[in-house]
Amino acid sequence: MPWYVYPAHFFGGAFFANALPHLIAGVSGLPLQSPFASPPFKGLSSPTVNVAWALVNLAFAYLLLVQVAAFDLKNWSDAGVCFVGFGTMALLCSRSLGRLRKMAVP
């Protein structure tokens, strides 16, 4: 497998993990941080913006996981690299959202 497949699958997993909180918040009707908030990444964006941002993240995940090279879930190296990317982004999101919740509680 060419070297560029590994970073593509890592970031594909990361984009997929980033899509989930935005999609869940958006379809639940809740505001959430996004790059389009004011101030960026600190303010809250509307549910509609979060659903749109989730769809963009899912499109990037698809491109990186399927179009760069075929992602084979049965292949340990493919799944492992994607899992590490997913896990890294999930941990970063949990820390970021945890700080946001602490700031919101009086």
Side-chain angles (χ1 to χ4, degrees), residues 60-84:
F60 277 120
Y62 169 77
L63 290 173
L64 291 169
L65 291 173
V66 178
Q67 294 299 320
V68 169
F71 178 75
D72 182 9
L73 195 56
K74 293 180 182 180
N75 183 333
W76 280 96
S77 63
D78 283 0
V81 171
C82 180
F83 179 78
V84 170

Side-chain angles (χ1 to χ4, degrees), residues 14-59:
F15 277 109
F16 185 65
N18 192 44
L20 295 179
H22 293 284
L23 185 63
I24 292 167
V27 298
S28 298
L30 302 172
L32 186 68
Q33 295 170 313
S34 83
F36 309 106
S38 180
F41 299 102
K42 294 187 188 241
L44 298 176
S45 292
S46 71
T48 304
V49 169
N50 277 292
V51 169
W53 184 236
L55 294 174
V56 168
N57 277 275
L58 288 172

Side-chain angles (χ1 to χ4, degrees), residues 83-100:
F83 179 78
V84 170
F86 186 96
T88 301
M89 181 58 78
L91 290 171
L92 290 173
C93 286
S94 72
R95 290 185 63 202
S96 175
L97 293 173
R99 275 190 246 122
L100 176 68

